[in-house]
Amino acid sequence: MPLNWKTGGVLLGLVFFLAVLLVKPIGVSTQFVILDGMIADAVNSEFITETEEGYTSTNAYMAKSGGKYAGNAMNPLNYSFVFVLAMMLGAFLSAMARGGIGAAERQSPALWRANFGDGPVKRYAVAFLGGFVVLYGARLAGGCTSGHMMSGMMQTSLSGYIFAAGAFASAVPVAMMMYRKEG
Amino acid sequence: MTPIILAIVIGAAFGAVLDRVGATNPDWIGRMLSLKHLHLMKTILLAIGTGSVLMFAGQMLGLVDVGHMDVKAAYAGVFIGGLLLGAGWAASGYCPGTGVCAAASGRKDALFFIAGGLLGAAAYMATYPMWKASGLLDDLAGGKVTLGSVPGSKFDGIWAMQGDILGILLGLGFIAVAFVLPERLSGGGQVADMPAE
């Protein structure tokens, strides 16, 4: 069982507060673009190039805002990218400290198995397609659950509310249709 | 190197807390989004409210730098992108942050989520000029705006009300909703607890 919502909610709120107190609001999904940029530039070194003012890219999205994303992809030791790596470390240590995740659950979640059976292939396919749609949507929206919904609504930003309305408007019907059994 | 140390400390804390509240577990995401079990929704609402009250109260007391606020632009694509993200979030049980954390904690399906995510982000990079040309990325209601006008902030408010006070009130509102929201809306009567992992 996860932490009680009162404890968990206060802890999660404290992390979001500490981030904005010490540095800036939390966000994650941009780093998928940064990693894509690193991969693309490793395959083709012409993808990102240095200019007099910084960096630019043959891709219009990487090059926008004065090549900010292109620059971050060329300098991976920046705050936001290291932040995501550290998130993985924190989640790993926390999961290990509570005894790790069982073998069946590691392959596919109990809720999935209750509704769609034990075979992992379908689960992997849906996770892959889900990832595609989630990140395409997050980049179109300019942020994800962390940056738009949590950090955004916490700052009373209009975009955070618009994003949350869109996300729940589709998430609830999709989840209700897919996960009829509770698992 | 200070920013890197802060990234490691805050990032690790965020990852650990996401793991402990159940947000990296697709079982809890699926039960929340299918409205069967709202425990995680209560956690999220309380977190937004707590963060909001602390940040705006800190600003009013002069302890929190208003310049650290970073408000994203509002445009039609935010809603469309939200719809897409919501569908994928519900189907897979992962969003970008919880997906990478779940993979790190040993979930194999989350690796497929990340692979799909990298491809989805690349697809957006390739199709960005089309969205840009469509006008759906053009600012709505002033773009980077907050609901109230936050004193000292570079972002405009859409309402005349003082933004930090409104932020505290809304934060208290989120906290109140977290308390009154029932743990279950549908699927009642069944045993809620399942073996932890």
Side-chain angles (χ1 to χ4, degrees):
Chain A
M1 282 295 286
L3 275 180
N4 173 284
W5 65 271
K6 288 178 197 162
T7 315
V10 169
L11 283 176
L12 192 57
L14 277 177
V15 173
F16 274 88
F17 169 66
L18 274 181
V20 81
L21 171 70
L22 299 173
V23 191
K24 62 174 184 175
I26 289 175
V28 176
S29 68
T30 306
Q31 304 316 310
F32 280 76
V33 172
I34 303 303
L35 184 54
D36 276 336
M38 290 178 202
I39 295 168
D41 194 64
V43 173
N44 169 16
S45 62
E46 302 294 304
F47 186 72
I48 298 173
T49 44
E50 201 160 357
T51 65
E52 277 162 30
E53 299 89 41
Y55 292 90
T56 190
S57 169
T58 50
N59 177 265
Y61 192 63
M62 287 299 287
K64 83 180 180 95
S65 311
K68 194 175 64 178
Y69 293 163
N72 284 344
M74 295 305 276
N75 301 287
L77 274 185
N78 64 74
Y79 175 84
S80 300
F81 194 72
V82 172
F83 185 92
V84 174
L85 298 179
M87 280 173 73
M88 298 177 76
L89 178 69
F92 169 76
L93 293 176
S94 170
M96 290 307 122
R98 62 184 168 87
I101 296 170
E105 184 71 18
R106 278 208 303 272
Q107 193 171 69
S108 71
L111 181 66
W112 174 274
R113 278 177 276 136
N115 285 278
F116 301 101
D118 289 341
V121 176
K122 208 156 66 161
R123 170 60 189 166
Y124 292 163
V126 168
F128 183 87
L129 287 175
F132 185 97
V133 177
V134 164
L135 265 299
Y136 193 94
R139 287 337 299 158
L140 171 57
C144 61
T145 334
S146 303
H148 255 317
M149 199 184 290
M150 305 277 302
S151 300
M153 291 207 291
M154 166 184 149
Q155 297 178 91
T156 70
S157 82
L158 175 64
S159 56
Y161 282 87
I162 295 174
F163 176 84
F168 282 103
S170 64
V172 170
V174 169
M176 290 186 93
M177 279 186 288
M178 283 184 69
Y179 299 109
R180 290 175 195 276
K181 290 180 199 148
E182 192 161 337
Chain B
M1 275 339 263
T2 317
I4 299 301
I5 294 168
L6 286 171
I8 293 170
V9 173
I10 306 170
F14 186 40
V17 173
L18 284 177
D19 174 71
R20 288 302 165 106
V21 301
T24 62
N25 183 336
D27 299 327
W28 286 107
I29 297 289
R31 286 190 207 109
M32 169 178 79
L33 294 176
S34 60
L35 308 181
K36 291 188 177 69
H37 203 297
L38 299 181
H39 185 265
L40 183 56
M41 195 71 241
K42 289 161 79 79
T43 306
I44 292 171
L45 290 166
L46 181 59
I48 294 174
T50 303
S52 206
V53 169
L54 289 176
M55 185 187 80
F56 285 112
Q59 287 179 1
M60 293 179 83
L61 296 169
L63 302 172
V64 176
D65 185 353
V66 180
H68 284 186
M69 284 179 73
D70 189 7
V71 171
K72 293 174 188 286
Y75 50 88
V78 173
F79 187 75
I80 305 169
L83 286 173
L84 289 171
L85 179 137
W89 185 30
S92 65
Y94 297 125
C95 56
T98 61
V100 296
C101 287
S105 61
R107 291 181 182 272
K108 291 178 204 155
D109 56 343
L111 294 172
F112 288 85
F113 175 86
I114 293 176
L118 287 170
L119 198 63
Y124 184 72
M125 288 160 69
T127 53
Y128 167 72
M130 182 193 87
W131 288 105
K132 186 77 185 157
S134 74
L136 291 167
L137 305 185
D138 296 349
D139 281 352
L140 284 180
K144 296 186 175 186
V145 292
T146 47
L147 298 181
S149 306
V150 181
S153 133
K154 59 180 187 265
F155 305 106
D156 289 331
I158 47 177
W159 295 324
M161 187 169 175
Q162 197 177 321
D164 43 13
I165 294 174
L166 179 63
I168 291 175
L169 292 175
L170 286 170
L172 293 173
F174 276 105
I175 295 171
V177 176
F179 272 88
V180 299
L181 200 68
E183 293 223 346
R184 300 186 151 272
L185 288 182
S186 66
Q190 297 170 34
V191 180
D193 298 341
M194 52 156 307
E197 320 310 346

